[in-house]
Amino acid sequence: MRSAKDFFKPLAVGAPRPVTEVPARPSRVIHFFDPSNEKMAAKIPSMVGTVDVLLGNLEDAVKADKKVAAREGLVKIAKATDFGENTQLWTRVNALDSPWVLDDLVTLVTEIGDKLDVIMVPKVEGPEDIHYVDRLLAQLEARAGLQRPILVHAILETARGMANVEEICGASPRMQGLSLGPADLAADRRMKTTRVGGGHPGYLVRQDPPAGVDDAVHADRATYQQDLWHYTIARMVDACAMHGILPYYGPFGDIKDVVACEDQFRNAFLLGCVGTWSLHPVQIEIAKRVFSPSAEDVAHARRVVEAMGDGTGAVMLDGKMEDDASLKQCLVIVELAERLSRTDPELAQLYAA
Ligand code: 1VU
Ligand code: MG
């Protein structure tokens, strides 16, 4: 066990000091692209400023014979692009048991470590995976002479990862956040779904039969579809909040179903997630809209803050009781709106109106 006093010491001589807090930069939308796909890669410079995060994906969805091209493509894009103040550059490296990950980490940190904000690590199973990456990154940062540490984001996509979620979140000061990996997690859990995220029409509850009806099977009874991911996302949110890091939804694979995509994103937003992935340009606007509070919610939250004065006691507002606890919820909304307004002039105008 490491001593608490050692936690914020660099893990290699010459590596930058670990951060004590996750930097408060917007990350409502983490936009995935395949750097080995020339058409997609060509679009990336023009997407700077339109998304909070551009993520060069090296793992699943990149063909095995394109892994090296994807890595080299990402290096080329990162070197040639100025990402500005408002767009971060992240990558998703290959899994820790794959033949590619060591070269992914060595190449990316030494070649473009100064441009990379966060490395997403897939299929994290326990704190030992984070410890491995933590030390290796420190060694590579020292070699590259980096001035700030690269942060780590874990994807939860195995039952063991879920069982160890709190320890993963607390494994290193580098931990920036967690995403849900619903497709791999479903397979690992032996769920009987075949989709990438989202609900399933078979996962439902049925209304009771009317009183006195014997043949309940044939009675006309309403059904209500349930959220397959509620437990998992709620557990992730608690683990992240406990350790001061950020929870995210993940992929929604039905690109054409923009309505269900928005619903899934909103469920995650309401439960506490700060952002999500976008896999296709059509999902970017949905993610930005859903993960920014509405003008009405911000206006209401500000009214509560004003009505609560010094923040103690109870008041009536529009027939509802407000007190210290509702004030705290409103402050979450107001602080998020203020943070987003600093980098998004359209939202600043919307929230000022
Ligand atoms: O109009 P153009 O032909 O010039 O461009 C196409 C296409 O190249 C472009 N485009 C993208 N540009 C930037 N980033 C993207 N992610 C992106 N996706 C597409 O937009 C134009 C229209 O494209 P389209 O509608 O014809 O779509 P395609 O059939 O070309 O591509 C669809 C897929 C889903 C294959 C593509 O969007 C993609 O590969 N997205 C990323 C997938 C990914 O990263 N998956 C891994 C994360 S999910 C996971 O691991 C769990 C399962
Ligand atoms: Mg996966």
Side-chain angles (χ1 to χ4, degrees):
M1 195 177 95
R2 281 167 81 187
S3 150
K5 290 195 178 63
D6 289 338
F7 215 57
F8 292 102
K9 283 186 190 154
L11 284 175
V13 175
R17 289 191 78 77
V19 294
T20 53
E21 276 185 22
V22 174
R25 297 180 70 187
S27 50
R28 296 161 295 178
V29 51
I30 303 168
H31 182 72
F32 273 58
F33 67 94
D34 174 354
S36 75
N37 178 326
E38 282 176 17
K39 240 167 94 180
M40 230 188 256
K43 292 190 177 356
I44 298 311
S46 67
M47 295 181 83
V48 170
T50 69
V51 291
D52 299 328
V53 176
L54 281 165
L55 181 145
N57 176 37
L58 308 184
E59 199 224 6
D60 291 356
V62 175
K63 286 180 90 57
D65 62 2
K66 290 285 178 78
K67 294 289 185 186
V68 176
R71 188 191 301 140
E72 286 172 356
L74 181 57
V75 169
K76 203 166 131 200
I77 293 168
K79 284 189 171 168
T81 309
D82 178 358
F83 293 91
E85 287 289 303
N86 299 334
T87 299
Q88 302 177 51
L89 177 67
W90 294 19
T91 185
R92 178 171 80 169
V93 294
N94 284 289
L96 296 178
D97 62 355
S98 76
W100 304 291
V101 66
L102 185 59
D103 287 336
D104 290 345
L105 290 167
V106 172
T107 304
L108 296 180
V109 178
T110 51
E111 295 275 331
I112 56 166
D114 56 331
K115 293 267 180 97
L116 271 181
D117 292 288
V118 174
I119 293 180
M120 194 180 262
V121 182
K123 301 175 177 72
V124 171
E125 303 248 48
E128 65 281 4
D129 290 338
I130 302 300
H131 295 158
Y132 166 77
V133 173
D134 199 6
R135 178 79 74 173
L136 180 57
L137 286 181
Q139 292 167 344
L140 294 170
E141 286 167 346
R143 181 190 283 181
L146 299 187
Q147 300 302 306
R148 59 163 177 82
I150 296 170
L151 302 187
V152 168
H153 180 114
I155 315 180
L156 281 180
E157 35 194 358
T158 66
R160 186 152 87 80
M162 278 308 301
N164 292 327
V165 64
E166 289 85 5
E167 288 169 68
I168 291 169
C169 291
S172 161
R174 277 187 205 278
M175 283 300 296
Q176 179 273 344
L178 287 185
S179 285
L180 169 68
D184 276 295
L185 181 56
D188 195 59
R189 283 175 170 166
R190 297 192 189 150
M191 289 166 67
K192 305 304 179 293
T193 52
T194 54
R195 305 169 171 202
V196 176
H200 192 288
Y203 194 71
L204 51 80
V205 291
R206 189 177 300 270
Q207 191 183 32
D208 279 2
V213 173
D214 288 338
D215 191 0
V217 174
H218 299 295
D220 183 17
R221 291 186 284 161
T223 58
Y224 307 93
Q225 195 172 321
Q226 306 292 297
D227 183 358
L228 278 168
W229 301 108
H230 179 269
Y231 155 77
T232 308
I233 294 178
R235 179 129 189 240
M236 266 176 52
V237 167
D238 281 349
C240 287
M242 171 182 169
H243 286 285
I245 71 170
L246 306 176
Y248 298 77
Y249 178 70
F252 190 87
D254 193 343
I255 307 289
K256 291 270 179 291
D257 193 349
V258 290
V259 175
C261 175
E262 176 163 346
D263 293 337
Q264 182 72 70
F265 287 179
R266 184 162 291 106
N267 286 350
F269 173 68
L270 288 171
L271 271 181
C273 290
V274 302
T276 186
W277 303 1
S278 75
L279 304 182
H280 185 279
V282 77
Q283 295 183 337
I284 293 172
E285 186 276 332
I286 304 171
K288 280 168 84 171
R289 179 159 39 82
V290 169
F291 285 91
S292 309
S294 70
E296 295 74 35
D297 282 352
V298 175
H300 171 74
R302 285 185 175 141
R303 282 186 66 218
V304 173
V305 173
E306 197 180 320
M308 280 297 294
D310 74 354
T312 61
V315 296
M316 282 288 276
L317 198 64
D318 306 333
K320 297 188 179 75
M321 189 278 300
E322 308 288 352
D323 70 359
D324 314 49
S326 57
L327 171 68
K328 280 184 213 154
Q329 293 172 73
C330 290
L331 286 172
V332 170
I333 305 270
V334 170
E335 282 160 16
L336 175 58
E338 285 171 0
R339 233 184 358 260
L340 293 173
S341 296
R342 274 179 232 134
T343 52
D344 187 329
E346 272 179 41
L347 280 181
Q349 206 176 6
L350 184 74
Y351 297 148

